[in-house]
Amino acid sequence: MALTNAQYESIRRGYEDRQNQNRYEMNRRLEQVYANVAGYRELDERVSSVSLQQAQKLLDGDTAALQDLKIALAKLSAQKRASLQAAGFPTDYLDPIYSCPDCHDTGYMQGKKCHCFIRQITELMYEQSNIRQMLARENFSTLSYKYYEGEDLLRFQNAVKNCKIFIENFKTDYANLLFYGKVGTGKSFLSGCIAKELLEKGHSVIYFSSVGLFDALARRCFDTNAREELHDTYEDLYNCDLMIIDDLGTEITNSFVMSQLFSCLNERHLRRKATIISTNLSLEELRDRYSDRIFSRITSNYQLYKLSGPDIRMYKKRIENRK
């Protein structure tokens, strides 16, 4: 789910707007200084005339003209700053104004996107991913092993380790993940941890609950009014860097769902686009519920992680109720 041309154009226009706003503010400040600082306009005019004079000398072969110009401009600059200070203005009052001093509001530094540009892309990615609020709660900074012990702990630790490897190698290694096991064992949590890290790195992530995904696909197929509205979402299913399908198996499974699920998983595999699936179903239930080709596609192309242990959500709720 790379940014669309329209989204890039929107960001670019934002830079132009900031440049125009800052240019307007600079002109306002200059007029204010001209009106309140005696002799400042003349100093500005002197800068122009000295520059022209020395440029002509340089053209006439005077090799010292450039150095003389630097000295003259430095002297005039010092006079201007002294005039501002004497009139009660900050000495940098007429320095160029930039919302981002690093890229000077161009969005790029040395041919690469500036951090301010990347931040805007990340904001858009968060909006498109549907999981901003969830990731504020569920991320590696809030991860805890205290709810697990024994084999459950080993499984969770192994899953966490491999999630971090998945993130580290995301740009170079194509991989898919399946988290399966009982309710409340951390499957959606780990999906969220990965999503947040990748979004922060500027990758595109889209999240769907299983019910929400197939509802959107059904509306696009059968509701002509929603077809145009959902066009971009449909394209995102195939083009985003990472797609998360949460709680697979909670939807009403029928021939339409199985057809759409296979099409989505198969197309993303062909395009080498990563997918993460979480489900409360066991592998046996997954095989029995979906077609052989879906089960085969998942088990042959996904890293499988079984999570077990207590229902953490229910555990936390009981703790809260005791307070």
Side-chain angles (χ1 to χ4, degrees), residues 10-287:
S10 175
I11 293 176
R12 189 189 64 78
R13 284 198 304 270
Y15 280 107
E16 290 180 353
D17 290 343
R18 285 190 285 279
Q19 291 170 7
N20 289 333
Q21 290 169 5
N22 291 335
R23 194 177 298 118
Y24 175 83
E25 175 61 15
M26 276 298 300
N27 290 334
R28 186 196 68 78
R29 290 186 181 189
L30 185 60
E31 291 302 319
Q32 183 186 19
V33 167
Y34 283 167
N36 292 279
V37 182
Y40 197 92
R41 186 188 296 270
E42 288 73 18
L43 287 172
D44 258 355
E45 292 170 352
R46 182 64 179 153
V47 168
S48 298
S49 63
V50 166
S51 298
L52 288 173
Q53 289 169 9
Q54 297 305 115
Q56 185 59 55
K57 288 182 180 181
L58 190 61
L59 290 173
D60 291 340
D62 185 348
T63 56
L66 186 58
Q67 184 61 30
D68 290 343
L69 175 61
K70 290 180 180 179
I71 294 172
L73 291 180
K75 188 178 295 185
L76 286 168
S77 179
Q79 289 179 292
K80 290 167 68 175
R81 288 180 179 272
S83 297
L84 286 173
Q85 190 172 36
F89 289 95
T91 57
D92 63 353
Y93 192 62
L94 293 180
D95 286 357
I97 300 171
Y98 301 115
S99 301
C100 178
D102 296 323
C103 70
H104 292 182
D105 297 337
T106 64
Y108 287 83
M109 295 174 59
Q110 299 177 340
K112 296 182 179 180
K113 293 184 182 72
C114 179
H115 57 83
C116 64
F117 196 109
I118 294 172
R119 184 174 64 251
Q120 292 179 81
I121 293 176
T122 302
E123 283 297 310
L124 283 171
M125 295 305 180
Y126 266 106
E127 293 301 326
Q128 291 172 309
S129 69
N130 302 329
I131 49 176
R132 179 186 291 275
Q133 291 183 339
M134 184 182 88
L135 297 192
R137 305 185 306 271
E138 301 181 359
N139 54 73
F140 281 124
S141 68
T142 61
L143 184 147
S144 174
Y145 295 103
K146 69 180 182 180
Y147 306 105
Y148 304 88
E149 57 185 28
E151 185 178 359
D152 301 334
L153 176 60
L154 292 175
R155 283 175 171 167
F156 189 68
Q157 288 174 327
N158 180 61
V160 170
K161 180 187 73 173
N162 284 286
C163 285
K164 292 181 177 180
I165 293 173
F166 177 85
I167 294 165
E168 182 179 348
N169 299 332
F170 189 78
K171 291 182 72 172
T172 56
D173 296 349
Y174 165 64
N176 304 295
L177 307 178
L178 172 72
F179 298 120
Y180 70 100
K182 294 189 299 182
V183 173
T185 51
K187 301 181 296 296
S188 299
F189 182 92
L190 289 181
S191 298
C193 289
I194 293 172
K196 181 175 175 59
E197 294 296 314
L198 293 181
L199 282 165
E200 293 295 333
K201 293 176 183 291
H203 295 290
S204 54
V205 178
I206 190 168
Y207 166 93
F208 271 107
S209 68
S210 182
V211 172
L213 171 63
F214 296 113
D215 177 65
L217 290 173
R219 288 175 59 211
R220 187 183 182 278
C221 288
F222 305 120
D223 185 347
T224 55
N225 294 325
R227 190 164 298 164
E228 184 174 347
E229 170 195 341
L230 293 170
H231 174 75
D232 289 342
T233 299
Y234 189 76
E235 289 301 310
D236 291 344
L237 299 183
Y238 297 144
N239 294 323
C240 64
D241 297 330
L242 173 66
M243 179 181 178
I244 297 173
I245 305 175
D246 196 26
D247 278 341
L248 183 67
T250 55
E251 78 289 344
I252 297 174
T253 308
N254 51 37
S255 58
F256 171 81
V257 165
M258 288 194 286
S259 172
Q260 292 295 316
L261 178 60
F262 178 80
S263 176
C264 183
L265 299 185
N266 188 57
E267 188 63 30
R268 288 189 60 79
H269 174 63
L270 293 175
R271 299 188 188 197
R272 316 267 309 165
K273 296 291 188 179
T275 305
I276 295 177
I277 298 173
S278 72
T279 180
N280 298 328
L281 302 176
S282 67
L283 293 182
E284 292 77 13
E285 290 170 329
L286 199 64
R287 180 192 59 210

